[in-house]
Amino acid sequence: MSTTTPQTPESEGPPRSPRLIQNESTTEIPVHLLFRDEPDAASVPLKPAVVARRHGTGEQPRLRHPAPRPVPEPDPGLAERPARVLPGTVGVAAGTCGLAGCLATSWWAGVLPPVLLETLTVPASSGTGLGPAQWAAYTGAAALGLVGFGGLARGRTGRAWVLGLFGRYRGTVRRTGLMWVNPLLLRRRVDVRLRHWRSEPMPAADASGVALRVSVLVVWRVRDTARAVLGVEDHEAYLRECVEAALARVPVEMPGEGSVATAGETLTRLVAAESAPVGLEVFSVQPVRVEYAPEVAAAMHRRRIAALDARHRASVLTSVVDSVEDTVTRLTMRGLVELDDYERKALVKDLTVAFCSGRGETSA
């Protein structure tokens, strides 16, 4: 009895492979959509794919660079400019003229005291007293004297005046000597000398996050008086806050454990950048005293002592091993002794004990 194998029709083609994903769903795509030759077909813009973190795969998300911090910028039109002042001789002359006018008006009215008449060697006037004309002359002469003497000011080296009128900036005076300034202007004195400030202990941290207390020495000066006085409420307090903020971002190492100069350069760069918009010029910010915070001081001191002791023991052990090796090598190479393995081990042991004891007594 012969068995007949069923033949596959040629129209069916080769058998399909089984699905690799059992729950997949597919849709047939018409062939005319795969090959489109229409020139007027509008292209569909494709957006860049966004790769996010896939849960369970261990893939880390892409790191995004933080946005740059905004730089504080005061009023753009606020910048130092020289104020208009006159030499001090002008004020002295105006004040003298006003005083002379008051004396002349008193003589004209006949109210000048006899003592002044004798002192000035002038004849007595037959004035009829103070009338409207005399009072007007008094007012003009007194106003001239007050404006002349009231506007006198003395400029000093290293000091400047910031002038304002009814809340408006009118200029800065950096001149020295006697000068005349409009007495209606509000004057604010600013120290423009090179100054240094040593801070009180401020909170900081090292590269490992250990709490520290750091005192820094800041060398600075006022470069733009208008921005320093009018652009910020208190430029000295602003500088202190900038230093404290920089210490919170820059790790500082204890002396002997890291480079303090690197921390100083970073602090100087940060504080100078933060202080420049308000007219301050910072030359140096250097840590002068670094110590552990009170809450971790005892533990960190014990840790440092233990590390120093371990380092000392390691150096002593290294020197002892080198000395033992040198001694055994010399004895063997010169033929003074012939040692087998047991005798060599015993000699090494005795020499190690002897050298360690000697080093211990020397250290004590």
Side-chain angles (χ1 to χ4, degrees):
M1 182 176 181
S2 60
T3 303
T4 305
T5 303
Q7 299 294 330
T8 303
E10 296 180 359
S11 61
E12 295 182 0
R16 296 182 179 180
S17 59
R19 291 181 177 180
L20 298 179
I21 303 177
Q22 298 298 329
N23 58 351
E24 71 176 350
S25 60
T26 59
T27 304
E28 295 183 359
I29 302 176
V31 178
H32 70 278
L33 295 180
L34 299 180
F35 305 95
R36 300 183 64 176
D37 297 330
E38 291 84 359
D40 298 332
S43 59
V44 179
L46 298 179
K47 297 182 179 180
V50 178
V51 180
R53 180 175 181 176
R54 293 181 292 178
H55 296 282
T57 61
E59 180 183 353
Q60 298 297 326
R62 295 180 179 179
L63 298 179
R64 297 181 179 180
H65 296 285
R69 298 179 56 193
V71 178
E73 185 68 25
D75 186 1
L78 187 61
E80 180 179 333
R81 63 176 183 269
R84 296 179 180 179
V85 295
L86 298 177
T89 55
V90 175
V92 173
T96 304
C97 292
L99 182 59
C102 291
L103 293 176
T105 304
S106 299
W107 177 83
W108 178 28
V111 296
L112 195 65
V115 178
L116 291 178
L117 291 175
E118 296 177 0
T119 304
L120 298 175
T121 64
V122 294
S125 176
S126 58
T128 59
L130 296 176
Q134 286 78 10
W135 282 115
Y138 264 130
T139 302
L144 181 60
L146 289 177
V147 171
F149 288 123
L152 293 177
R154 182 181 60 175
R156 298 181 179 180
T157 303
R159 304 294 178 89
W161 295 93
V162 177
L163 307 181
L165 179 63
F166 304 119
R168 184 179 180 183
Y169 174 63
R170 303 299 296 177
T172 299
V173 180
R174 290 180 178 260
R175 295 175 55 178
T176 58
L178 188 63
M179 55 189 167
W180 184 85
V181 183
N182 188 349
L184 298 179
L185 297 176
L186 177 63
R187 310 173 190 177
R188 297 183 182 181
R189 179 173 292 181
V190 185
D191 191 346
V192 295
R193 295 174 296 181
L194 187 66
R195 304 169 64 182
H196 68 278
W197 166 63
R198 178 166 179 167
S199 70
E200 66 279 0
M202 295 182 176
D206 61 4
S208 303
V210 179
L212 302 175
R213 291 294 183 270
V214 181
S215 298
V216 297
L217 180 65
V218 184
V219 181
W220 64 286
R221 72 176 178 184
V222 175
R223 179 176 52 85
D224 192 312
T225 57
R227 292 190 174 187
V229 175
L230 305 176
V232 68
E233 183 177 1
D234 187 350
H235 60 274
E236 295 184 2
Y238 181 86
L239 179 62
R240 288 195 295 268
E241 296 296 335
C242 288
V243 172
E244 188 172 358
L247 281 175
R249 288 182 288 167
V250 177
V252 181
E253 300 295 336
M254 292 289 293
E257 295 184 358
S259 177
V260 181
T262 303
E265 293 176 359
T266 307
L267 288 172
T268 302
R269 184 173 64 254
L270 290 177
V271 177
E274 295 287 343
S275 304
V278 296
L280 303 182
E281 187 175 6
V282 178
F283 297 96
S284 174
V285 181
Q286 295 296 331
V288 294
R289 184 176 181 181
V290 183
E291 59 185 6
Y292 291 109
E295 60 270 17
V296 299
M300 296 307 299
H301 282 305
R302 289 195 298 268
R303 179 180 176 182
R304 293 193 67 183
I305 292 175
L308 291 175
D309 184 64
R311 192 180 306 169
H312 175 68
R313 291 177 181 272
S315 63
V316 169
L317 181 60
T318 301
S319 62
V320 167
V321 171
D322 293 340
S323 301
V324 171
E325 181 182 6
D326 185 64
T327 303
V328 174
T329 302
R330 288 186 178 184
L331 291 175
T332 305
M333 294 297 296
R334 296 182 180 181
L336 299 178
V337 293
E338 293 182 0
L339 304 174
D340 54 10
D341 293 341
Y342 177 79
E343 292 174 343
R344 184 184 296 274
K345 292 179 181 180
L347 179 61
V348 169
K349 178 180 179 180
D350 294 339
L351 290 175
T352 302
V353 173
F355 286 153
C356 287
S357 301
R359 294 297 176 89
E361 293 176 357
T362 303
S363 300

